[in-house]
Amino acid sequence: EVQLVESGGGLVKPGGSLRVSCADSGITFTDTWMSWVRQAPGKGLEWVGRIKSKIDGGTTDYAAPVKGRFTISRDDSKNTVYLQMNSLKTEDTAVYYCTAERSCGGGSCAYYWGQGTLVTVSS
Amino acid sequence: EIVLTQSPGTLSLSPGERATLSCRASQSVSGTYLAWYQQKPGQAPSLLIYGASSRATGIPDRFSGSGSDTDFSLTISRLEPEDFAVYYCQQYGSSPTTFGQGTKVEIK
């Protein structure tokens, strides 16, 4: 059974930093593209960014609102993906979900989801 | 980026009824790379449909997806009590991937 477990959420002041983690079990982590999706309170889903597997280049992509402030990295030896968030704004307040992507009819979609971790940016 | 517009915003139906949800894209979705997710209150989303019409592992056959180009739909043939939830569409054919704003299926 695939399990993605996020941790590291919490309360942070505007302008501050936070790193959230996502540990995986049940998938071949090294071959898997991992992404982060967030959901502001009472709102819909917003893609944050993705990191490809090292065999596919290990490159990252980010949504425009977080580009330059957020960094996604991975440690394949620990089956863990990280989301480093800097220069946080109040509008970054959300539940952050880690997802594991799989081939979905040719393209890559969010096949497995973690339970989410809440990040609150407030003074 | 591709904007996905879901309709209706809320669908009020009774168990046993048929639900039809719509997802319209602002541009053609490459390769029918369109997915549907279900989110129950307090839970993470879960994948239902990918490639516009393929069911994910373990998804019952009362869920079906169809469509191409800019118009897609999700149909739940007979609503079960556990199907009352919010449904999101997502296109993953063009970067950045984008989600629709969601359709809530509520008990009438």
Side-chain angles (χ1 to χ4, degrees):
Chain A
E1 182 190 355
V2 175
Q3 264 202 314
L4 300 174
V5 180
E6 297 97 336
S7 59
L11 175 64
V12 62
K13 288 181 167 49
S17 298
L18 195 67
R19 188 180 80 161
V20 295
S21 305
C22 170
D24 143 73
S25 63
I27 61 174
T28 309
F29 187 80
T30 54
D31 295 343
T32 303
W33 297 10
M34 302 295 294
S35 57
W36 290 92
V37 175
R38 68 184 180 183
Q39 186 171 37
K43 301 297 184 183
L45 303 172
E46 180 185 24
W47 178 75
V48 172
R50 157 209 278 167
I51 186 165
K52 295 183 178 180
S53 60
K54 284 194 167 50
I55 199 169
D56 289 320
T59 55
T60 52
D61 295 290
Y62 300 95
V66 308
K67 198 168 188 177
R69 299 188 298 122
F70 288 13
T71 302
I72 300 172
S73 60
R74 61 190 299 154
D75 184 340
D76 289 352
S77 69
K78 295 181 179 178
N79 283 11
T80 299
V81 62
Y82 303 97
L83 176 64
Q84 175 69 44
M85 300 179 284
N86 298 331
S87 303
L88 281 160
K89 306 175 181 180
T90 55
E91 53 263 41
D92 295 319
T93 294
V95 174
Y96 284 75
Y97 294 104
C98 161
T99 84
E101 299 188 14
R102 266 182 56 176
S103 175
C104 293
S108 182
C109 75
Y111 212 94
Y112 303 107
W113 295 64
Q115 85 288 352
T117 188
L118 176 62
V119 173
T120 303
V121 184
S122 174
S123 54
Chain B
E1 71 179 43
I2 294 179
V3 176
L4 299 179
T5 302
Q6 293 186 239
S7 61
T10 302
L11 201 49
S12 299
L13 294 168
S14 300
E17 289 194 292
R18 181 185 187 91
T20 302
L21 289 64
S22 173
C23 176
R24 180 160 291 177
S26 61
Q27 307 167 41
S28 181
V29 174
S30 170
T32 61
Y33 292 154
L34 193 287
W36 290 92
Y37 299 87
Q38 177 192 65
Q39 186 177 32
K40 298 178 183 179
Q43 296 185 20
S46 60
L47 179 65
L48 291 174
I49 300 285
Y50 63 88
S53 60
S54 297
R55 280 186 297 275
T57 305
I59 301 304
D61 60 8
R62 64 179 182 273
F63 291 93
S64 63
S66 64
S68 63
D69 195 23
T70 61
D71 286 298
F72 299 87
S73 62
L74 173 70
T75 299
I76 310 170
S77 58
R78 290 177 68 250
L79 283 163
E80 298 287 339
E82 61 268 27
D83 299 336
F84 292 91
V86 179
Y87 293 84
Y88 294 94
C89 59
Q90 178 208 21
Q91 68 79 22
Y92 54 97
S94 300
S95 182
T97 181
T98 48
F99 291 91
Q101 83 280 14
T103 289
K104 181 179 182 180
V105 179
E106 66 176 22
I107 299 176
K108 187 174 182 180

